[in-house]
Amino acid sequence: FFQRGGPTNTMIHRCILLLALAAVAVDGAATCESITFTGKGLCTAAVTEMMCIPDGVAAADYVTQLETQSAGSTKAACETAATAECVAIGGTFKSGYCADNGSGCDYDLQRAKQALSCTAAADCSGIGGLRTTAAKTCCGDYRGKIGNMCEGVDSLVTDLAEDLSKDLGVCAETDCISGASSLSISMALPALLAGLSMLFARF
């Protein structure tokens, strides 16, 4: 589905922003509907989800928008981003992470669900069909994300990453979206690196 294009997930954010901007002209009360879309880039699995559909946009047209944006994803972009994230926390990249419909694709779907998923129309804002409040991923998924993407990451780093993600409010213990590879390392990376610097300074 969506594919991130760098360590700061610029591709996924750009895709969501473009979808929102495309619907600004018909800004209004979004609806919550079940749609099925098939990725056109790296991630090609058919996905059915409840998502916010902007007011005035037909569900079929929204599906076309999602599929068009997904076409920009590539294995090379995935590997570049994931390699940078792993190196930043002292690990090495696992090549299988960027396989078609692999863990990287699971992650991108989770990121999209955070911004666009819904259970009722009340979850959806009038701004481009985005959620009124972005959902958070579950804190317990953090270790799975690191383990699926990187090898050789010290357990101390993993512990610190999970603790910082909780302290920063990046994740939630309840009312969250779960997925084995759902949480973005890069969202907590600046604080993680700062924390590691302070830790190593003690030795």
Side-chain angles (χ1 to χ4, degrees):
F1 178 43
F2 288 112
Q3 177 59 49
R4 65 188 183 288
T8 55
N9 302 304
T10 53
M11 180 63 77
I12 181 66
H13 292 155
R14 186 180 299 118
C15 290
I16 293 172
L17 176 60
L18 288 173
L19 289 172
L21 290 176
V24 166
V26 289
D27 185 18
T31 60
C32 179
E33 301 181 37
S34 176
I35 60 174
T36 299
F37 52 88
T38 302
K40 302 300 183 183
L42 171 63
C43 309
T44 59
V47 176
T48 299
E49 292 289 342
M50 294 288 291
M51 288 196 171
C52 297
I53 309 297
D55 182 53
V57 177
D61 292 337
Y62 195 63
V63 167
T64 299
Q65 292 178 27
L66 290 172
E67 294 180 343
T68 299
Q69 292 300 329
S70 74
S73 68
T74 65
K75 184 176 182 179
C78 175
E79 291 178 344
T80 297
T83 297
E85 291 189 3
C86 291
V87 169
I89 57 174
T92 57
F93 165 65
K94 283 185 177 179
S95 59
Y97 179 78
C98 291
D100 182 15
N101 301 321
S103 295
C105 294
D106 293 340
Y107 160 80
D108 282 342
L109 175 60
Q110 292 294 332
R111 292 289 291 163
K113 288 171 66 176
Q114 284 181 258
L116 306 171
S117 68
C118 58
T119 56
D123 296 330
C124 306
S125 72
I127 304 175
L130 297 175
R131 287 179 56 92
T132 303
T133 302
K136 294 184 178 181
T137 49
C138 300
C139 295
D141 291 345
Y142 212 100
R143 293 176 183 276
K145 163 67 177 182
I146 295 176
N148 286 336
M149 189 171 70
C150 311
E151 293 180 309
V153 178
D154 191 284
S155 60
L156 180 64
V157 176
T158 305
D159 292 342
L160 181 58
E162 184 171 344
D163 290 342
L164 282 173
S165 69
K166 293 177 181 178
D167 293 343
L168 293 170
V170 173
C171 63
E173 299 286 359
T174 59
D175 192 22
C176 54
I177 293 178
S178 181
S181 59
S182 62
L183 191 59
S184 169
I185 291 175
S186 63
M187 291 179 69
L189 189 56
L192 172 59
L193 294 177
L196 288 175
S197 296
M198 291 186 290
L199 180 65
F200 294 146
R202 298 176 184 176
F203 295 95

